[in-house]
Amino acid sequence: GDSVTQMEGPVTLSEEAFLTINCTYTATGYPSLFWYVQYPGEGLQLLLKATKADDKGSNKGFEATYRKETTSFHLEKGSVQVSDSAVYFCALSDRGDDKIIFGKGTRLHILP
Amino acid sequence: DAGVTQSPTHLIKTRGQQVTLRCSPKSGHDTVSWYQQALGQGPQFIFQYYEEEERQRGNFPDRFSGHQFPNYSSELNVNALLLGDSALYLCASSYPGQPYNEQFFGPGTRLTVL
């Protein structure tokens, strides 16, 4: 079945460092891809999305590009802030499917 | 515009008991999905309700059941609670016809089974 694999955390970086969180997926169809973020004590929020190959999703300085040839959707940010500390989930939803499939999440700690 | 709301925020039950969790979808949304998020894991899909019917179900036992009301709000019921049912239960709402399956999540109900 469909699945998402993302790098295990925790990831600890200093403020203004470059961030990459790797994500690869397995899907039988042609899925939409997402990154969700979960701040401490809060629910999941959609951070960015991409719905077709080579699409680049972006939001709040974060970017991810839908790479069909490598089945990847890595999350990047050029300069992280302490406020980016959270758990990040890579996810997919196959066309015509009602469910979203999530990775296990990557906890990010940013040190001032 | 209120987002997705869930109640209660926290709940403590003992093994064998039954629990009901509640969810109100975002305004304009008519589809509700439920997810279970165990500690340190990603959310797992339980089921989705649309037009008061269960439309799709994930790999969860029949102890997990749900209901959707005419106002689109939803309940998740879990019978014969097990210790392993301890988790954050997330409700998400959406509407059909979106070009991609974007779902809006509530803050969750933290269920602890002792």
Side-chain angles (χ1 to χ4, degrees), chain A residues 38 46 49 93 97-98 100, chain B residues 35 48 56 100-101 103:
Chain A
Q38 191 171 38
L46 179 65
K49 65 182 184 296
S93 181
D97 199 354
D98 298 323
I100 297 177
Chain B
Y35 292 79
Q48 184 180 84
Q56 187 177 4
Y100 57 89
N101 187 17
Q103 298 181 7

Side-chain angles (χ1 to χ4, degrees), chain A residues 3-76:
Chain A
S3 66
V4 175
T5 302
Q6 59 183 105
M7 64 188 287
E8 292 192 20
V11 173
T12 303
L13 296 172
S14 297
E15 205 167 22
E16 299 184 3
F18 183 85
L19 168 71
T20 300
I21 300 178
N22 290 335
C23 171
T24 58
Y25 68 90
T26 303
T28 52
Y30 199 162
S32 295
L33 302 176
F34 310 94
W35 276 99
Y36 279 84
V37 58
Q38 191 171 38
Y39 297 103
E42 299 185 18
L44 285 169
Q45 300 175 25
L46 179 65
L47 179 60
L48 54 83
K49 65 182 184 296
T51 58
K52 60 182 187 295
D54 301 324
D55 261 3
K56 177 184 283 189
S58 61
N59 186 25
K60 299 181 180 181
F62 291 90
E63 293 182 339
T65 301
Y66 191 142
R67 301 287 188 201
K68 193 169 188 293
E69 64 276 13
T70 55
T71 62
S72 65
F73 192 55
H74 304 321
L75 182 68
E76 296 182 336

